[in-house]
């Protein structure tokens, strides 16, 4: 088992995005719910503020010697930093200031999120309007820029929260589409060619390596998560929407867990609605464990409970309830693994 795979994310955490635009309130909520040993606090993302606070824009703002601006069709790589880059960086500093304020004296895991290289390549446009994914040279340049940006970002967070054990989450919702050649071209009439799996894996390994011995989680809320590929690339944990798993995933999940990979199981709905009792929320996790013949005593250590996806589309009140529910559901799982 690698050193990376021995990390403990704690019983529960969130994905990243939160509703609203109040940075301090979001940081206070996340640290208050998860910061007392109940889970893993994280750096909130508040996309409601507009372009640059969204997942793609925030990560584009981290890039080194590559810049992006907002066009009607989305984010496009440009020659120099402009208003959109400055705004993205300003909001990230604001978010970091808030987390720093509420984590004074904190010791334990702290998660920061960024878009992974392949979802970024599928989302960022080149000057001709096509996705960077259309040009493997552009993909390589993007990955190198992302690696440098993440090194600087992680160093900044370490300085601000010196007691934190940093966990890096790479958001890769488009990874399956990249592997299968399902990312649409600008015209919408065809798709970009599938990228070779070994190349995808190699690039992910390079980005994961940026965190050194620190653990990296890959999050994907799409079906058919490529467990084996992510494990080979060095992911210490895999975060997913639990409702999208099928029995076809059983063998891959069993191998991942037995190999020390942590599962961040998204079982709590990410948008407003009724919440079941905590034990009911994790019933599917227990069922999976029994089906795989895994040791129930491993559950509390191997699985963290999360929302199914980000909470940007939820109300602030529901977001607080959902995160608190994750903590209670994780407690239920640990107390009654069978």
């Amino acid at each position: 088992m690698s050193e990376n795979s021995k990390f403990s994310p704690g019983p529960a955490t969130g994905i990243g995005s939160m509703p609203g635009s109040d940075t301090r309130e979001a940081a206070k909520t996340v640290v208050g719910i998860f910061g007392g040993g109940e889970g893993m606090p994280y750096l909130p993302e508040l996309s409601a503020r507009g372009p640059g606070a969204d997942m793609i824009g925030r990560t584009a703002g981290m890039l080194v010697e590559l810049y992006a601006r907002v066009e009607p069709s989305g984010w496009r790589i440009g020659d120099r930093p402009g208003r959109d880059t400055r705004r993205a960086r300003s909001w990230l500093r604001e978010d970091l200031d808030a987390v720093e304020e509420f984590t004074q004296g904190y010791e334990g895991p702290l998660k920061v999120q960024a878009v992974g290289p392949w979802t970024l390549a599928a989302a960022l446009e080149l000057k001709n309007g096509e996705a960077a994914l259309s040009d493997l040279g552009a993909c390589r340049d993007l990955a190198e820029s992302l690696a440098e940006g993440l090194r600087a970002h992680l160093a900044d967070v370490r300085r601000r929260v010196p007691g934190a054990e940093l966990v890096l989450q790479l958001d890769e919702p488009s990874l399956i589409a990249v592997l299968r050649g399902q990312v649409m071209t600008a015209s919408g009439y065809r798709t970009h060619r599938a990228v070779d799996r070994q190349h995808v894996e190699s690039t992910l390994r390079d980005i994961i390596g940026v965190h050194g011995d620190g653990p990296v989680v890959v999050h994907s809320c799409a079906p058919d998560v490529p467990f084996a590929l992510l494990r080979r690339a060095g992911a210490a944990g895999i975060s997913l929407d639990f409702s999208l798993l099928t029995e076809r995933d059983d063998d891959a999940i069993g191998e991942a867990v037995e190999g020390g990979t942590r599962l961040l199981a998204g079982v709590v709905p990410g948008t407003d609605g009724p919440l079941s009792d905590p034990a009911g929320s994790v019933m599917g996790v227990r069922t999976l464990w029994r089906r795989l013949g895994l040791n129930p005593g491993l559950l509390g250590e191997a699985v963290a409970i999360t929302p199914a996806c980000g909470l940007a589309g939820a109300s602030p009140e529901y977001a607080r309830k959902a995160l608190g529910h994750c903590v209670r559901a994780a407690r239920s799982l640990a107390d009654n693994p069978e």
Side-chain angles (χ1 to χ4, degrees):
M1 188 188 299
S2 71
E3 284 299 314
N4 252 9
S5 64
K6 293 179 182 176
F7 99 105
S8 173
T13 189
I15 301 302
S17 64
M18 293 284 285
S21 57
D22 189 331
T23 304
R24 293 183 72 256
E25 184 61 30
K28 182 180 178 182
T29 296
V30 167
V31 176
I33 290 172
F34 296 122
E38 296 280 16
M40 180 164 57
Y42 57 94
L43 179 65
E45 300 169 355
L46 303 176
S47 59
R49 291 175 296 188
D54 60 298
M55 186 172 80
I56 299 298
R58 165 174 283 199
T59 302
M62 294 181 193
L63 297 175
V64 173
E65 295 183 1
L66 277 182
Y67 311 102
R69 65 178 185 272
V70 178
E71 297 285 343
S73 53
W75 285 90
R76 182 171 296 183
I77 295 171
D79 297 324
R80 59 184 64 85
R83 178 184 58 192
D84 297 322
T85 297
R86 289 193 293 271
R87 185 168 49 199
R89 292 175 177 175
S90 173
W91 273 330
L92 179 58
R93 282 194 300 272
E94 194 177 291
D95 295 340
L96 287 166
D97 288 344
V99 165
E100 182 179 2
E101 176 185 349
F102 290 105
T103 51
Q104 294 296 310
Y106 172 74
E107 295 183 352
L110 174 67
K111 180 166 68 72
V112 296
Q113 305 83 218
V115 176
W118 293 109
T119 295
L120 200 60
L124 287 183
E125 299 174 358
L126 301 174
K127 292 176 185 176
N128 63 5
E130 288 294 352
L133 189 64
S134 64
D135 181 335
L136 288 182
C139 290
R140 183 184 60 249
D141 293 345
L142 191 56
E144 290 174 356
S145 175
L146 175 62
E148 288 304 311
L150 287 175
R151 283 191 188 95
H153 179 52
L154 291 165
D156 187 19
V157 181
R158 280 190 203 98
R159 180 182 58 78
R160 290 168 176 268
V161 193
E165 301 155 14
L166 283 189
V167 177
L168 172 62
Q169 175 179 303
L170 297 175
D171 292 315
E172 282 283 14
S174 299
L175 182 60
I176 304 302
V178 168
L179 287 166
R180 292 181 175 173
Q182 295 172 339
V183 176
M184 299 301 295
T185 60
S187 69
Y189 292 122
R190 59 185 184 86
T191 57
H192 293 291
R193 186 180 305 170
V195 181
D196 178 76
R197 293 181 78 88
Q198 288 185 324
H199 186 54
V200 168
E201 182 183 322
S202 171
T203 301
L204 280 169
R205 186 180 299 111
D206 290 344
I207 297 296
I208 287 171
V210 163
H211 197 21
D213 292 333
V216 177
V217 170
V218 178
H219 168 69
S220 175
C221 48
D224 301 324
V225 174
F227 291 93
L229 183 153
L230 295 177
R231 289 177 58 220
R232 289 193 303 270
I238 297 173
S239 172
L240 45 83
D241 180 343
F242 195 81
S243 70
L244 299 179
L245 292 178
T246 70
E247 292 192 20
R248 293 197 312 272
D249 298 307
D250 280 7
D251 288 346
I253 294 172
E255 287 174 14
V257 171
E258 289 179 337
T261 305
R262 302 296 183 245
L263 290 184
L264 284 74
V267 299
V268 177
T271 51
D272 291 44
L275 293 168
S276 70
D277 65 290
S281 292
V282 291
M283 189 184 307
V285 179
R286 290 193 185 96
T287 300
L288 172 67
W289 230 246
R290 282 196 297 270
R291 198 165 72 228
L292 296 177
L294 294 169
N295 178 1
L298 284 175
L299 261 176
E301 180 186 335
V303 177
I305 299 303
T306 75
C309 211
L311 294 167
S315 66
E317 181 186 20
Y318 177 81
R320 285 190 293 273
K321 283 183 183 175
L323 295 179
H325 190 83
C326 288
V327 170
R328 290 188 292 276
R331 205 177 293 144
S332 167
L333 195 61
D335 291 346
N336 303 289
E338 302 186 69

